[in-house]
Amino acid sequence: MKNIIYCLFLLTVCSCEGYLDIVPDNIATIDYAFRDRAGAESYMTGCYYFMPNWGNPASDPGLMGGDDTWSMIDSWANSATGNYNCFNIKRSQNTNSPYVNSWEGQNQGRGLYRAIRDCNIFLENIDKVGPDLGETEKLRWIAEVKFLKAYYHYFLLRAYGPVPLIKTNLLVDAGINETKIYRDKFDDCIDYIIQLIDEAVPDLPPVIYDVTNELRRITQPIALSVKAEILVLAASPLFNGNPDLSGLVDNRGVNLMESSLSKKEKWDRARIACKNAIDTVLMTGQYQLYDFTQSTYYSNYKDVSDTSKLVMTLRTVVTDKWNREIIWGTINNYTTLTLPHFAVSHANLAATQPLIGPTMRMVELFYSNNGVPINEDKYYDYENRFKTDLAPEDHKYYMVTDGQYPIAKINMYREPRFYANLGFDGGFWLGNGKKVDYDRFPEDQRAWTTQMLKGKPSGNYMGLRYSITGYLIKKGSHIETSVNSAGTSLTTVQSTFPIIRLADLYLLYAEALNECLDVPAQEVYDYVDMIRRRAGLEGVTDSWEKYSNIPNKPSTQAGMRDIIRQERMIELAFEGKRFWDVRRWLIAETEMNKPVRGWNIMGEVPEDYYNLITLYSMTFSKKEYLWPIRQGELLKNTNLVQNPGW
């Protein structure tokens, strides 16, 4: 995208003293902005400014706000962590000053009603531009801004439930009562958001041709993929027949969750949208499931085994810049909080701060090497998983197998995605200047061994900047990002972060299709199996029949529902999806009321380190499915009703 020109935009972005920031100000400036093409383009690109900052732990609640990661609480609070506003969502959300307040734009939240206002200003004034703006280009800009307006409403809807729809801005002389607007019914919100996307799609390009200047602008595949995600959300248990939201009624007596559609009708609508998105994405010829061997930097990694190439495929699908699986992405700001210290010098001088660590529930989530849950695998030593052993020789590309290094059994006999996502004591890590497997040459280029015990470089060394859980997130850092040998500087290779990628879309379709059927059809298995095959696993039915103690699980809708959900949580781990998924599935009460556990990172020897400890006892109540509206906003607008329980 062309560099956004902010000067003119910032003149119009100032908040007015209203309830939802829907009355435009600086009218003279607005008129000036739409005198010519250049001014209008600046305003259009300014509408992108409010996009949630996905991939940034400081402001993306999916990265620090869920049960999949934990951090050194209240330590090293800075701009990189956003002073832990996202992290605190799961600890102490409140109504006086809510964390990640996207309604008003506070505490790391973007002010999305201000964003919607600016989208409306653009749409209401674009026809004033003179003849230097061509009709085709104007229609594309209108389509982009309509999509952005839809997306900003969608983010609010996903977080808060039914929200006020701001279809047009109020006049500058609007009275106080006119600004005291109501929340709209949930189905009306969905219909309006989908209407905006449908209006936008015909005038959006199928692909970006001018990659240098326009790479992150909206396309038809992006719009239709987001439409699919929205309709899956609308069909999911949180908003589809949830009795806990039936009492969300405003002061007019309007039930905001009342629906004329059946549960199955909503799922069918989602199914159609998902398939349409997939067909459109594939029709462009630009997208496919990612393969590391097709990456632009693969020539630097010829000396890795097939085992490591598969792990690299599953790891770098997120960070390989603008790879062909990413339908919509942004620039990643994840590296500095996930890349570990590999040497004492790194830990001393800290070019990176590996503060975000996976919780033990994520360690247990990944399948066994047989492609089924470890608690279902007939051949997995589940009861002794937290004990240590010496790793077998066939694990030689995953971890130390010298017959002397004790490693937790839970880290053995796991699927390739486990080793792509997680770093652990005694595990191998390609990257940070190391390019070949442990048994390859040259020796100084062999993979790092992550040493996690207290006093070791990748662990709690001198009490500075470490993972508090005893695990690391491999997926978060680009393999070519590196710290120099002195540990004084970080060479960051710019990574992408997927907002939606093809595997995500495939799993959304499998989920929607499964919910539409009484018994899973072959097509449900096919879309899940495409993801599994890429991960080096057998298909669902074969894996469960051969290895699971519940061999018939894939044959029922409920069983396949559980499988699809676990597949999503594995495939999209640490990409910010789980935070939203456990809410829309209405299982956060189960998942987020479990203790947060990890290894005893104060242990200096294996006998002490490999003891499972509770780091925090999380609590999640029904009210937390929806975010609270700040109490001060409710006092200003008495027509707004607070979400249940807050």
Side-chain angles (χ1 to χ4, degrees), residues 335-614:
T335 291
T336 56
L337 294 182
T338 57
L339 186 67
H341 307 136
F342 297 104
V344 168
S345 59
H346 298 173
N348 277 332
L349 296 171
T352 60
Q353 301 177 31
L355 303 180
I356 305 178
T359 57
M360 187 59 73
R361 73 192 58 183
M362 294 302 290
V363 175
E364 295 187 272
L365 173 71
F366 288 85
Y367 293 140
S368 71
N369 60 341
N370 291 322
V372 298
I374 57 174
N375 62 330
E376 289 184 28
D377 192 324
K378 294 183 293 186
Y379 306 104
Y380 188 82
D381 188 9
Y382 184 74
E383 295 302 318
N384 295 309
R385 66 193 183 281
F386 297 126
K387 296 180 180 179
T388 61
D389 202 348
L390 301 177
E393 178 63 18
D394 61 3
H395 281 47
K396 64 183 180 180
Y397 296 121
Y398 295 142
M399 62 192 73
V400 176
T401 57
D402 63 0
Q404 300 178 39
Y405 202 119
I407 293 177
K409 296 182 74 172
I410 198 169
N411 300 333
M412 302 178 195
Y413 300 105
R414 304 301 294 274
E415 62 159 311
R417 285 179 295 192
F418 179 92
Y419 304 105
N421 279 269
L422 300 173
F424 52 87
D425 182 54
F428 290 143
W429 188 302
L430 282 170
N432 198 66
K434 303 291 189 178
K435 301 180 179 180
V436 303
D437 277 321
Y438 89 101
D439 59 348
R440 309 296 172 93
F441 293 97
E443 291 185 20
D444 64 349
Q445 292 295 301
R446 292 179 181 176
W448 296 97
T449 299
T450 46
Q451 302 173 70
M452 305 289 291
L453 275 60
K454 183 175 174 20
K456 299 297 183 180
S458 304
N460 180 3
Y461 179 79
M462 296 178 63
L464 297 172
R465 300 169 292 271
Y466 55 87
S467 167
I468 199 169
T469 68
Y471 282 90
L472 301 161
I473 300 175
K474 275 187 181 178
K475 208 184 214 180
S477 59
H478 195 288
I479 58 175
E480 292 190 322
T481 289
S482 61
V483 179
N484 68 352
S485 58
T488 55
S489 65
L490 178 69
T491 302
T492 303
V493 176
Q494 197 174 61
S495 303
T496 43
F497 186 86
I499 302 172
I500 295 181
R501 59 183 174 96
L502 191 57
D504 183 0
L505 191 55
Y506 283 173
L507 291 172
L508 287 175
Y509 179 56
E511 179 181 353
L513 181 58
N514 186 62
E515 295 298 334
C516 290
L517 302 170
D518 295 328
V519 177
Q522 183 60 44
E523 192 177 13
V524 176
Y525 305 130
D526 290 343
Y527 274 88
V528 176
D529 286 350
M530 280 191 277
I531 309 302
R532 290 174 62 87
R533 279 197 299 272
R534 196 260 300 270
L537 301 175
E538 295 182 60
V540 169
T541 54
D542 286 344
S543 294
W544 259 260
E545 183 179 346
K546 292 179 183 178
Y547 308 114
S548 174
N549 53 27
I550 316 174
N552 295 324
K553 186 175 182 179
S555 65
T556 67
Q557 183 196 57
M560 199 60 199
R561 178 186 297 130
D562 288 344
I563 291 170
I564 292 169
R565 288 178 177 181
Q566 185 158 354
E567 198 72 41
R568 273 189 69 82
M569 289 189 282
I570 292 171
E571 176 65 27
L572 305 173
F574 312 118
E575 296 179 38
K577 298 291 184 177
R578 180 184 173 93
F579 177 89
W580 301 104
D581 278 346
V582 297
R583 284 165 169 77
R584 72 177 179 87
W585 291 330
L586 217 55
I587 62 172
E589 289 168 87
T590 301
E591 297 298 315
M592 296 189 65
N593 274 316
K594 297 175 182 176
V596 176
R597 302 182 301 168
W599 296 125
N600 172 29
I601 49 87
M602 301 303 291
E604 297 181 358
V605 295
E607 292 77 14
D608 294 332
Y609 178 85
Y610 286 113
N611 285 293
L612 202 59
I613 64 171
T614 295

Side-chain angles (χ1 to χ4, degrees), residues 1-13 29-50 115 118-119 121-123 125-126 129 132-133 137 141-142 144-145 148 152 217:
M1 180 189 297
K2 294 181 180 178
N3 291 330
I4 297 174
I5 303 171
Y6 288 105
C7 296
L8 183 60
F9 169 68
L10 289 175
L11 291 174
T12 63
V13 83
T29 304
I30 292 171
D31 289 340
Y32 183 85
F34 293 94
R35 282 197 319 178
D36 55 28
R37 180 190 177 281
E41 183 178 28
S42 297
Y43 210 99
M44 184 273 295
T45 54
C47 290
Y48 278 88
Y49 168 78
F50 294 93
D118 284 344
C119 290
I121 289 173
F122 178 88
L123 295 172
N125 289 275
I126 186 61
V129 181
D132 60 334
L133 176 60
E137 189 169 38
W141 291 0
I142 290 171
E144 288 180 71
V145 174
L148 294 173
Y152 296 143
R217 287 172 63 173

Side-chain angles (χ1 to χ4, degrees), residues 9 14 18 27 39 56 95 112 139 236-237 254 310 340 350 362 465 481 490 497 521 602 624 626 643:
F9 169 68
C14 302
I27 299 301
N56 184 343
T95 59
L112 296 187
L139 290 174
S236 296
V254 174
L310 176 56
M362 294 302 290
R465 300 169 292 271
T481 289
L490 178 69
F497 186 86
M602 301 303 291
E624 292 173 273
L626 299 181
N643 278 325

Side-chain angles (χ1 to χ4, degrees), residues 128-326:
K128 295 178 181 177
V129 181
D132 60 334
L133 176 60
E135 185 67 16
T136 299
E137 189 169 38
K138 181 177 79 169
L139 290 174
R140 179 186 174 186
W141 291 0
I142 290 171
E144 288 180 71
V145 174
K146 281 187 176 181
F147 172 84
L148 294 173
K149 180 180 174 180
Y151 194 81
Y152 296 143
H153 276 103
Y154 163 52
F155 186 96
L156 290 164
L157 182 82
R158 180 163 63 168
Y160 297 97
V163 294
L165 295 173
I166 310 302
K167 298 181 179 181
T168 59
N169 289 338
L170 297 179
L171 299 175
V172 291
D173 59 353
I176 270 271
N177 289 332
E178 290 178 87
T179 64
K180 289 186 176 182
I181 62 177
Y182 289 89
R183 298 172 71 172
D184 285 275
K185 295 176 66 173
F186 180 83
D187 280 4
D188 291 343
C189 292
I190 290 292
D191 289 344
Y192 181 64
I193 292 168
I194 297 304
Q195 175 191 326
L196 286 173
I197 294 176
D198 286 343
E199 290 174 2
V201 166
D203 295 314
L204 293 170
V207 296
I208 294 297
Y209 298 104
D210 184 0
V211 174
T212 302
N213 294 314
E214 300 182 348
L215 189 56
R216 284 180 278 172
R217 287 172 63 173
I218 303 304
T219 62
Q220 288 181 357
I222 290 172
L224 290 173
S225 297
V226 169
K227 175 182 176 179
E229 183 181 87
I230 293 168
L231 289 175
V232 168
L233 172 72
S236 296
L238 175 60
F239 294 120
N240 191 2
N242 180 4
D244 295 323
L245 296 182
S246 61
L248 190 52
V249 178
D250 64 23
N251 62 17
R252 301 168 298 178
V254 174
N255 186 330
L256 300 180
M257 290 304 304
E258 187 177 42
S259 178
S260 61
L261 295 175
S262 69
K263 291 182 180 181
K264 203 159 188 176
E265 285 174 317
K266 290 189 175 185
W267 277 116
D268 195 53
R269 192 182 183 192
R271 174 191 62 80
I272 293 169
C274 288
K275 190 59 165 65
N276 187 31
I278 290 171
D279 290 344
T280 301
V281 166
L282 297 181
M283 186 172 57
T284 67
Q286 301 295 307
Y287 302 96
Q288 63 184 35
L289 292 179
Y290 174 77
D291 185 344
F292 175 70
T293 62
Q294 299 172 358
S295 60
T296 57
Y297 46 80
Y298 177 69
S299 60
N300 294 327
Y301 290 85
K302 290 181 178 178
D303 293 325
V304 292
S305 61
D306 289 341
T307 298
S308 293
K309 287 176 185 176
L310 176 56
V311 169
M312 284 299 189
T313 290
L314 302 169
R315 173 182 167 190
T316 60
V317 62
V318 169
T319 55
D320 189 3
K321 191 175 181 182
W322 307 119
N323 68 75
R324 294 184 66 182
E325 183 162 336
I326 297 177

